[in-house]
Amino acid sequence: QLWAALDEKVSRIYLDYRLLDKKILDRLRRSVVQLFIASPYVVRAKDILYLKKIKAALSSGVFDGVLVRNLESYHFFTSQDIYGKNCLNKKCIPEKIVLDANFYLWNRESVNFWKNQADEFYLPLELNGHEWQKLLGITGGKTFTASAVVYGRLPVMITANCLKKTMG
């Protein structure tokens, strides 16, 4: 699907972090499409290696930014460089940060909080068109861009725990 999307000249691709490998990165270097890495849905202490791998890929110059799916990833990408040093300047922060739909920017307070922390966000999937319109009226226009997922396979439930182990 990635190669087909590149051939069709789509404007932006979000590449799942699990697809980062040398072969893919080499092909993506020649692409003119906007490329973003999508972070994991759930992050635990053991997943810090994935976040470091994403941050290293971001510094390669191939990617335009990161799609952040949780608060832990947001904190990681905005507070330290790939070596774990504190981020005292903007040099170690990804060029663009996009908040995924599960950040739940539902109201004026949440939009006002995040509009100075990220560049773009996805409208919550649970809201209807009228509610989206209300949110779009308070985003600040071009300063905090909103997008919507209109098609695709969406996870119904995301959990860090094994359902089989915790059923009983």
Side-chain angles (χ1 to χ4, degrees):
Q1 289 175 339
L2 174 61
W3 307 137
L6 287 170
D7 290 342
E8 290 300 319
K9 308 282 190 276
V10 298
S11 60
R12 180 181 286 181
I13 293 175
Y14 292 101
L15 183 70
D16 191 88
Y17 71 99
R18 293 170 293 191
L19 296 177
L20 288 175
D21 70 18
K22 185 170 176 19
K23 178 184 169 191
I24 289 176
L25 288 176
D26 287 344
R27 171 110 187 247
L28 292 176
R29 266 185 233 291
R30 298 185 301 274
S31 146
V32 294
V33 68
Q34 280 190 342
L35 295 167
F36 284 69
I37 300 176
S39 70
Y41 283 102
V42 177
V43 174
R44 296 293 182 253
K46 65 179 176 54
D47 300 319
I48 197 78
L49 295 173
Y50 292 122
L51 296 178
K52 287 182 177 181
K53 185 177 178 182
I54 293 169
K55 199 140 200 185
L58 285 168
S59 66
S60 72
V62 174
F63 295 95
D64 297 289
V66 63
L67 175 70
V68 177
R69 292 176 165 157
N70 55 62
L71 291 170
E72 295 85 1
S73 294
Y74 176 83
H75 176 73
F76 179 84
F77 290 119
T78 58
S79 65
Q80 50 186 265
D81 65 16
I82 61 170
Y83 306 105
K85 297 176 184 168
N86 286 338
C87 187
L88 300 176
N89 56 36
K90 292 280 187 182
K91 288 183 181 175
C92 66
I93 295 175
E95 190 168 324
K96 275 195 170 182
I97 295 175
V98 179
L99 305 177
D100 202 4
N102 53 333
F103 260 79
Y104 300 112
L105 278 75
W106 294 73
N107 54 39
R108 179 178 307 278
E109 289 79 18
S110 59
V111 169
N112 285 334
F113 174 81
W114 284 106
K115 73 180 177 184
N116 296 319
Q117 314 298 321
D119 301 288
E120 302 176 28
F121 74 101
Y122 273 84
L123 293 162
L125 302 172
E126 292 86 351
L127 298 184
N128 61 38
H130 176 70
E131 293 165 322
W132 279 4
Q133 289 294 1
K134 284 176 74 175
L135 273 180
L136 291 172
I138 58 173
T139 61
K142 293 182 180 180
T143 59
F144 193 40
T145 306
S147 297
V149 176
V150 294
Y151 177 80
R153 293 181 183 211
L154 302 173
V156 177
M157 183 176 94
I158 300 167
T159 178
N161 301 317
C162 175
L163 293 178
K164 280 187 173 183
K165 285 183 181 177
T166 58
M167 266 178 53

